[in-house]
Amino acid sequence: MVCVNMKIFDIMEGETLNRELDTDKLKKAIAILQDRKALEAKIIEVSEHCSYADYFILVSATSKTHAQSISDELQTLAQQKKHTQPEGYDTGQWILNDLGDIIVHIFLKEVRGFYQLDKLWSHAPSTDVELDQQDFELDQYDLVSTL
């Protein structure tokens, strides 16, 4: 992938994530997901298909506690500092964190497999992000070299 003018281009697939990213928020969200050991991260551009978000980030968690821990940390990035919990927080099976133009879906692995949002949004441009690398750098994905 290569980034030009703050946009993501997937040269291998020939698809483009068209909207400009809030690169600071995206970088912070990815760092939190890595720090909290989220699994199977995927960024999907949904701006052409829905009005309430530009990007979804889908991740998997190993347990309810793991999912809630990821969600707790992501809430520090939320634009609205309300004293409310994200949708699905209590059950911890599928938690939605609304970060404004980025919505992070945190699933338990079996729940992600059941709802198959990856498949539902397969028509939208997307990129997988490997969070399990020890020396993870967002720049290696060439999302934006100036993030």
Side-chain angles (χ1 to χ4, degrees):
M1 270 187 264
V2 132
C3 179
V4 177
N5 297 328
M6 309 290 272
K7 296 178 184 178
I8 300 174
F9 293 88
D10 189 336
I11 294 170
M12 302 294 284
E13 299 296 324
E15 295 180 349
T16 304
L17 298 179
N18 294 315
R19 295 275 179 106
E20 289 193 13
L21 294 170
D22 179 343
T23 56
D24 188 47
K25 188 184 294 180
L26 181 63
K27 187 175 182 180
K28 288 177 183 177
I30 296 294
I32 288 169
L33 295 172
Q34 181 195 24
D35 184 56
R36 295 292 178 197
K37 309 286 190 233
L39 306 170
E40 303 166 349
K42 177 180 270 191
I43 301 172
I44 304 172
E45 186 203 350
V46 296
S47 61
E48 299 297 319
H49 307 285
C50 68
S51 61
Y52 55 88
D54 290 336
Y55 299 95
F56 286 168
I57 301 176
L58 309 180
V59 297
S60 298
T62 57
S63 68
K64 173 184 174 179
T65 305
H66 185 210
Q68 290 172 333
S69 171
I70 296 167
S71 178
D72 289 342
E73 198 66 27
L74 284 169
Q75 277 305 104
T76 63
L77 299 178
Q79 289 178 344
Q80 299 174 359
K81 298 291 182 178
K82 296 180 181 177
H83 297 291
T84 59
Q85 293 178 339
E87 189 68 33
Y89 185 88
D90 290 335
T91 63
Q93 294 184 20
W94 178 1
I95 303 175
L96 294 175
N97 285 85
D98 186 349
L99 307 180
D101 56 347
I102 300 169
I103 296 180
V104 182
H105 296 260
I106 306 164
F107 295 96
L108 293 183
K109 282 186 158 191
E110 56 274 9
V111 175
R112 184 173 180 175
F114 179 79
Y115 287 103
Q116 298 183 4
L117 282 192
D118 304 71
K119 185 176 179 181
L120 177 68
W121 290 98
S122 64
H123 62 283
S126 67
T127 186
D128 294 327
V129 179
E130 295 181 34
L131 299 173
D132 57 351
Q133 298 179 6
Q134 286 192 334
D135 296 327
F136 175 81
E137 290 291 331
L138 191 56
D139 293 342
Q140 81 186 41
Y141 292 93
D142 295 322
L143 293 174
V144 176
S145 60
T146 60
L147 283 181

